Amino acid sequence: MFTKTTAFVSIAMLAVLLSACKKEPPKCSDKETLTLVRTIILDQVGGAGNLNEKEIEETVKLEHPRASAYDDKIGKYSCEATLVFANAWRLPTIKYESQLDDDQKHLVMVGGFLRGDLWRMASALQGVKEKKAMEKEEND
């Protein structure tokens, strides 16, 4: 009897330990996730150029990030946020996903932009870069 109880407790503890090893992906509002979303968006519209991290956060604002779904079988958050780009243009809902791959590397996928959206963002980003260049010239 003692052996069966010990075996049962050991199996139960192993199950708890194994379930604890499964790591969840960063949530939709985590800083790491939002930084990757900003990077992907900027890469799609021509890159951040010489903007620093603070300027990138001010240029690509993600308001009200939220999970719209969670798939626990594959550990993936489906997310939505409001995009405010360069304080000049607003997209009410963008969609992105946060997931860990088999090596526990954080993957973020962003999609749902139309060609016109990307063009508007590229134009607004160019304005931000030009403004920064003019300010630098004035300070030199």
Side-chain angles (χ1 to χ4, degrees):
M1 183 70 176
F2 181 76
T3 314
K4 287 183 181 181
T5 305
T6 305
F8 177 77
V9 169
S10 297
I11 291 171
M13 288 180 65
L14 181 62
V16 168
L17 288 173
L18 288 176
S19 67
C21 291
K22 183 181 178 190
K23 188 176 174 188
E24 272 192 27
K27 295 185 177 180
C28 299
S29 60
D30 283 354
K31 181 177 172 88
E32 179 183 356
T33 302
L34 296 177
T35 298
L36 287 170
V37 170
R38 285 184 186 98
T39 300
I40 291 167
I41 291 170
L42 288 172
D43 286 347
Q44 288 182 8
V45 296
N50 60 350
L51 299 179
N52 63 38
E53 188 175 330
K54 182 182 177 197
E55 291 167 331
I56 290 171
E57 287 180 15
E58 291 172 356
T59 301
V60 184
K61 294 179 185 173
L62 298 164
E63 297 178 344
H64 314 294
R66 59 208 172 270
S68 56
Y70 180 71
D71 186 337
D72 60 349
K73 291 181 182 176
I74 60 172
K76 177 175 75 173
Y77 283 103
S78 296
C79 310
E80 297 179 349
T82 300
L83 172 66
V84 178
F85 201 91
N87 291 325
W89 188 71
R90 174 183 290 269
L91 191 59
T93 304
I94 64 162
K95 296 182 184 234
Y96 56 99
E97 297 174 343
S98 177
Q99 182 176 7
L100 295 176
D101 68 6
D102 292 341
D103 297 326
Q104 302 301 305
K105 183 178 175 188
H106 188 199
L107 303 175
V108 172
M109 288 70 67
V110 180
F113 295 114
L114 300 173
R115 190 173 296 180
D117 297 334
L118 295 173
W119 183 84
R120 287 182 194 95
M121 287 188 276
S123 178
L125 181 61
Q126 186 60 35
V128 169
K129 289 178 181 178
E130 288 172 1
K131 180 179 176 185
K132 182 175 181 176
M134 287 175 32
E135 288 173 352
K136 185 178 179 187
E137 284 181 17
E138 289 174 2
N139 292 334
D140 288 342

